[in-house]
Amino acid sequence: MKSLFLILCSVLAFFPLLSPAEEAAPGTPDALIHALYKTEENVFSPRENKELAAKFLAPTLIQLFVLDAKRSGDEAGAVDFDVLSFGQDVRQITKFATKSEVTGDTAVVKASFENHGERMVITFPCVNEAGQWLVADVTYADGTSLVKLLSPAK
């Protein structure tokens, strides 16, 4: 019985974070954010994987990350935290949900979840470019914005 329980736990560990009932409709801004949180690779490092970044991020955001990487060289860039949890620790996301407001080719998706027991809400302004929804910025409850962090000081 104990071995059956261990096998069941092992199998369940490989299931996605979200159940099919929690999945967003394909081709929607919500689906983009759900897919973003399921991706195990760092989407926010376009210098390392430009093709993956292009599936999720608007070209202007990609350009800002590339510019930041050039400015910082071998050092950490302006974004020295996990973008999807706004923290330093390994993500332990539960109770994930999204809610979006779509206006034409723009949308604002609010992702809410618990990470290490702390309730979080992260906002993803998105744009629809050539029929594909892409993240244009990421903003946090304290007002931090990726675009602002990555933009060169004037």
Side-chain angles (χ1 to χ4, degrees), residues 1 3 8 16 32 36 48 51-52 62 66 69 82 97 110 113 118 123 129 133-134 141 145 148 154:
M1 186 67 168
S3 62
L8 181 59
L32 171 69
L36 182 61
E48 294 172 17
E51 293 80 26
L52 179 65
I62 291 173
V66 170
D82 176 58
K110 291 190 179 205
F113 54 88
E118 180 182 348
T123 304
E129 296 191 8
W133 286 103
L134 300 167
S145 155
K148 289 178 187 173
K154 294 184 178 183

Side-chain angles (χ1 to χ4, degrees), residues 10 39 49 58 69 71 83 108 114 118 125:
S10 298
T39 303
N49 193 339
R71 283 192 311 257
V83 172
V108 175
E114 285 187 12
E118 180 182 348

Side-chain angles (χ1 to χ4, degrees), residues 39 41-57 62 66 132 134:
T39 303
E41 294 181 61
N42 185 1
V43 171
F44 299 94
S45 185
R47 195 170 174 181
E48 294 172 17
N49 193 339
K50 197 168 191 170
E51 293 80 26
L52 179 65
K55 291 180 182 180
F56 292 96
L57 307 180
I62 291 173
V66 170
Q132 179 183 0
L134 300 167

Side-chain angles (χ1 to χ4, degrees), residues 31-125:
L32 171 69
I33 303 307
H34 280 255
L36 182 61
Y37 274 86
K38 284 184 176 182
T39 303
E40 294 183 15
E41 294 181 61
N42 185 1
V43 171
F44 299 94
S45 185
R47 195 170 174 181
E48 294 172 17
N49 193 339
K50 197 168 191 170
E51 293 80 26
L52 179 65
K55 291 180 182 180
F56 292 96
L57 307 180
T60 52
L61 188 55
I62 291 173
Q63 289 170 351
L64 287 172
F65 271 108
V66 170
L67 180 61
D68 181 61
K70 287 179 183 175
R71 283 192 311 257
S72 59
D74 292 335
E75 301 296 319
V79 179
D80 61 352
F81 54 88
D82 176 58
V83 172
L84 298 178
S85 67
F86 198 45
Q88 300 294 330
D89 298 327
V90 175
R91 280 181 253 141
Q92 292 184 348
I93 293 177
T94 59
K95 300 179 184 176
F96 183 87
T98 59
K99 182 175 176 148
S100 63
E101 292 182 24
V102 179
T103 306
D105 285 341
T106 62
V108 175
V109 181
K110 291 190 179 205
S112 60
F113 54 88
E114 285 187 12
N115 186 35
H116 297 278
E118 180 182 348
R119 192 81 185 139
M120 302 280 301
V121 176
I122 297 177
T123 304
F124 296 86

